[in-house]
Amino acid sequence: MTGARFVDVEVRRPDLRTAFPRRFAARLKGQTVERLDRRAKYLLAVLSSGDTLLMHLGMSGSFRVGDPSPPGRHDHVVFHMSSGAIVTFNDPRRFGVMDLLTPRQLAAHPTLSRLGPEPLSAAFNASVLARACRGKKTSLKAALLDQRVVAGLGNIYVSEALHVARLSPQRQASTIATASGAPRPGAVRLAAAIKQVLQEAVARASKARYRGGRFRVYDRAGERCRHTNCAGVIAQRTQTGRTTYYCPVCQK
DNA sequence: ATTGAGACCTGTCGGC
DNA sequence: TGCCGACAGGTCTCAA
C-alpha cells in the first residue's frame, strides 16, 4: 500500500464497532498512502491529503492481500490500490474499527491521545511504569491491560509478562512503586519482562512457519510451571472479566 | 478520578 | 449427529 493510491474502496458493511465516517470511500479515493504506521494496537495509514486512515483489528479482524472475489461473508472493506494490490479487511465479530481522521481529529483523538508509552521504546522503562502504577488500588493485571499505563499489551501478554517477572496478577499495582513513585525491584523486572515477551512474540510472528499458541502460561492451566526449580502448576482465574493464567507458587 | 461490570458480535468448542 | 451454553486475543460506556 505504501506509495500507492486508493483507486477504489468498497465498503460492504459500514457498521463495525463504530460507524464509518460519512463519505469514507470518497475521501480515500485518489489519496496516496505516504506511510503505514502503528500506535498501540491501532494501524495508521498517513495519506497525501493529510488525513489518517485509522484501523483496528478488534478481536477477530484480519487483512489479506489478493483478489477476494467472490467476497466472503465477513469481508467488510476492500481496498483496490494503484499498485494492483487488493487489500481486504475481514472481521467476523465486527469489533474492529475503520476511521478517517483529519490532523485536528487525530491530535485530539479521545483514545489515541491518552495512550501510554510504546513498550518497546526507550520512553518505557521501570521508572515510567512505577510512576504510572503509583497509588493504583487495582491489580497489576488490570493496570497492565489499561492502555494508558502502557500501550498495546493485551490479555495474553499481560499473563506472559507477569509470569516472567514472577509477579502475581492479583497483586496491587501500587506495590511495585514507592510512595513517591520510584521503582521497586518488581517494577524493574516487570518493565524488562514486558519488553522481553513482546520482542520474542514479534520475532516468532515474523517467521513464516510460526503456528502460534505456544505461551509460557496463557491457555496452559494444569501444566507445570516452566520456571526452573518451580514445582508449581499453572492456575487460571477470572479478573475483571478476563481470564488470567499464572503460577501460584513462584508469582508473588 | 478510579474501578469493575456489562455491552457489543459471531464463531467454535465441549458436554450432553 | 445435533443442540446449547460458555467462552474467545478488545475497547467503550455507565454507574458506583
Side-chain angles (χ1 to χ4, degrees):
Chain A
M1 292 177 78
T2 307
R5 219 169 351 95
F6 288 93
V7 172
D8 192 22
V9 175
E10 297 174 57
V11 176
R12 308 187 65 248
R13 262 205 93 141
D15 54 334
L16 299 181
R17 195 180 81 214
T18 57
F20 282 46
R22 272 57 61 191
R23 302 198 354 102
F24 175 81
R27 285 172 61 196
L28 277 178
K29 281 184 210 174
Q31 296 307 314
T32 299
V33 176
E34 303 276 309
R35 68 194 157 84
L36 286 174
D37 209 346
R38 178 194 60 76
R39 180 78 174 96
K41 297 170 195 165
Y42 292 88
L43 306 169
L44 298 91
V46 181
L47 309 178
S48 45
S49 61
D51 292 348
T52 296
L53 171 61
L54 182 74
M55 299 163 281
H56 195 293
L57 300 176
M59 296 269 265
S60 58
S62 65
F63 283 98
R64 65 180 197 282
V65 181
D67 193 338
S69 55
R73 175 156 142 68
H74 302 297
D75 288 342
H76 306 313
V77 183
V78 184
F79 298 134
H80 297 260
M81 309 303 296
S82 59
S83 57
I86 302 176
V87 180
T88 303
F89 178 70
N90 179 283
D91 184 10
R93 290 179 76 178
R94 287 192 279 117
F95 285 172
V97 170
M98 195 68 65
D99 203 354
L100 195 48
L101 307 172
T102 64
R104 181 180 297 276
Q105 289 173 322
L106 179 64
H109 194 279
T111 299
L112 290 179
S113 64
R114 287 173 177 77
L115 288 173
E118 284 292 324
L120 292 181
S121 74
F124 178 72
N125 55 40
S127 297
V128 169
L129 177 61
R131 235 173 293 136
C133 288
R134 171 172 59 170
K136 276 205 176 294
K137 307 288 284 181
T138 192
S139 64
L140 273 178
K141 165 70 185 287
L144 293 183
L145 276 180
D146 185 341
Q147 303 293 298
R148 296 168 304 183
V149 170
V150 53
L153 279 184
N155 201 40
I156 291 178
Y157 292 107
V158 167
S159 278
E160 296 294 289
L162 287 168
H163 182 250
V164 170
R166 298 190 185 236
L167 291 168
S168 168
Q170 288 116 66
R171 179 166 158 161
Q172 189 170 300
S174 64
T175 62
I176 65 169
T178 66
S180 61
R184 290 200 148 100
V188 176
R189 296 203 307 276
L190 185 51
I194 288 168
K195 289 176 187 275
Q196 184 190 331
V197 299
L198 291 181
Q199 278 163 354
E200 287 175 4
V202 170
R204 267 180 303 155
S206 301
K207 301 192 178 186
R209 308 289 291 264
Y210 177 58
R211 293 286 187 185
R214 294 292 75 182
F215 303 110
R216 289 173 171 85
V217 290
Y218 186 83
D219 208 20
R220 283 184 177 277
E223 296 184 35
R224 286 278 315 279
C225 175
R226 294 152 79 98
H227 272 139
T228 50
N229 299 325
C230 180
V233 173
I234 304 308
Q236 110 181 46
R237 63 184 290 170
T238 300
Q239 273 182 291
T240 57
R242 317 297 303 281
T243 306
T244 299
Y245 296 86
Y246 67 106
C247 173
V249 173
C250 69
Q251 289 182 250
K252 304 299 185 191

